[in-house]
Amino acid sequence: MDASTVTVAVWNIQADGGRDSEHRDFALDILAALEPDVVLQQEAKYSRERGRRLMHAAESRLELRGFLSAPNPQVDADIATAIYLRPGLFHVAEQKPRAKPWWLHPCHVQARLGECPVPLNFVSFHMCFFDATQRLTEAGWLTTLAEPGIATMVAGDTNSYPRRPEPLPLPDWETVTDRAHMVHRTYVDSVGRRHSDTRPDGALVDAGYVDLARHAADSLGANGALAATAGINKPHQGGPQRIDRGYAAGGVESALEHVEVIDNEEIRSVTDHALVLYRYHRSRMERVLTPPRASLCAG
């Protein structure tokens, strides 16, 4: 752990690594080796069961404090999202239970970095996999945390694509054999034509969010930041794409130092999503979270 940085890991751990699975233990080993200060997890499927046993095990292994999204009994499976924060570094101001308009509820925690007066919002989200209109609505909700005076980092599985062209071309839907997936990942325009769903990204960027990987690639020389995060072995669904993304608002992006997409045999033995690591310069983040005339934050 480097006291000069704040490290955020974002990872969709497929089916939570299982209820009682070596995949779960191995996922925690991978995370622990990275020494993150914040973990934003998707597919925390079993972490609510048996008195949150898996969540508490993760807290112990990672030495972080865990939070889960509000229960979601209205869907077929109550698949939670989770946030883990380092005690001492972050002081939780409030956990906000979020439900509507989400298909899978996001986990939203507001915390203070040291003694910084401005709280930092963290949101771990998992957008709807089957409905482009629902995803756009969910992105619209996230824009409420990009309003002036609010500092925010949101990240997760968008189940959609970046609006700006990237090294990875968007899927050629004429050649995608999984036609249900094609419908899930596209939307129909006013004249009946289908398009790759880039609208959630467009809504977030238009609202003032900064795509952190794009920022790292354009401004910090992180050439691998735009690498694929999912679909690696799924040519029938359009192949590799960058669907797991992190965004910041309120100046938080100015503290970013590096973005790394970790995708190797160990990662793939656990889940079908890459792990994305965001490193922030702590002093710069403290300045962002300290308004003019306020005293410098003391960790």
Side-chain angles (χ1 to χ4, degrees), residues 67-221:
F67 304 86
L68 296 177
S69 57
N72 192 6
Q74 303 304 317
V75 296
D76 295 337
D78 182 12
I79 302 176
T81 51
I83 294 176
Y84 295 87
L85 299 176
R86 184 167 301 285
L89 181 62
F90 287 101
H91 309 286
V92 174
E94 186 177 5
Q95 181 181 12
K96 296 176 177 284
R98 299 301 189 182
K100 295 179 180 179
W102 290 82
W103 173 249
L104 298 178
H105 295 166
C107 188
H108 177 195
V109 176
Q110 193 177 79
R112 297 184 189 277
L113 174 60
E115 300 302 320
C116 294
V118 176
L120 178 57
N121 291 277
F122 288 106
V123 179
S124 174
F125 66 81
H126 195 163
M127 289 185 176
C128 182
F129 79 91
F130 62 85
D131 187 341
T133 300
Q134 174 68 22
R135 288 193 293 271
L136 185 58
T137 299
E138 292 168 349
W141 181 89
L142 289 172
T143 67
T144 65
L145 295 175
E147 295 173 355
I150 301 177
T152 301
M153 179 180 176
V154 304
D157 184 345
T158 71
N159 277 312
S160 56
Y161 310 105
R163 180 171 63 181
R164 283 181 57 184
E166 298 205 342
L168 288 167
L170 293 175
D172 178 358
W173 297 112
E174 295 299 322
T175 65
V176 169
T177 57
D178 186 338
R179 303 312 284 168
H181 184 80
M182 179 275 294
V183 171
H184 297 163
R185 290 286 181 87
T186 60
Y187 69 93
V188 179
D189 66 17
S190 60
V191 296
R193 293 176 298 191
R194 284 198 175 272
H195 303 271
S196 295
D197 186 20
T198 63
R199 296 184 303 173
D201 176 68
L204 295 175
V205 171
D206 289 347
Y209 277 105
V210 173
D211 178 340
L212 292 169
R214 168 61 70 177
H215 175 67
D218 290 348
S219 302
L220 304 176

Side-chain angles (χ1 to χ4, degrees), residues 185-294:
R185 290 286 181 87
T186 60
Y187 69 93
V188 179
D189 66 17
S190 60
V191 296
R193 293 176 298 191
R194 284 198 175 272
H195 303 271
S196 295
D197 186 20
T198 63
R199 296 184 303 173
D201 176 68
L204 295 175
V205 171
D206 289 347
Y209 277 105
V210 173
D211 178 340
L212 292 169
R214 168 61 70 177
H215 175 67
D218 290 348
S219 302
L220 304 176
N223 295 327
L226 300 180
T229 64
I232 308 300
N233 297 315
K234 298 180 180 179
H236 61 295
Q237 294 185 341
Q241 294 292 327
R242 187 170 73 90
I243 67 169
D244 303 271
R245 299 192 297 276
Y247 298 84
V252 174
E253 70 283 352
S254 65
L256 188 71
E257 286 191 313
H258 186 65
V259 175
E260 181 180 1
V261 178
I262 304 175
D263 178 25
N264 52 38
E265 290 185 5
E266 291 185 342
I267 295 288
R268 295 187 190 186
S269 72
V270 171
T271 182
D272 55 353
H273 287 253
L275 189 159
V276 188
L277 205 65
Y278 303 85
R279 295 194 188 278
Y280 293 93
H281 190 284
R282 179 173 173 178
S283 295
R284 291 179 200 159
M285 184 174 282
E286 289 175 341
R287 287 195 290 271
V288 169
L289 300 176
T290 305
R293 301 181 183 177

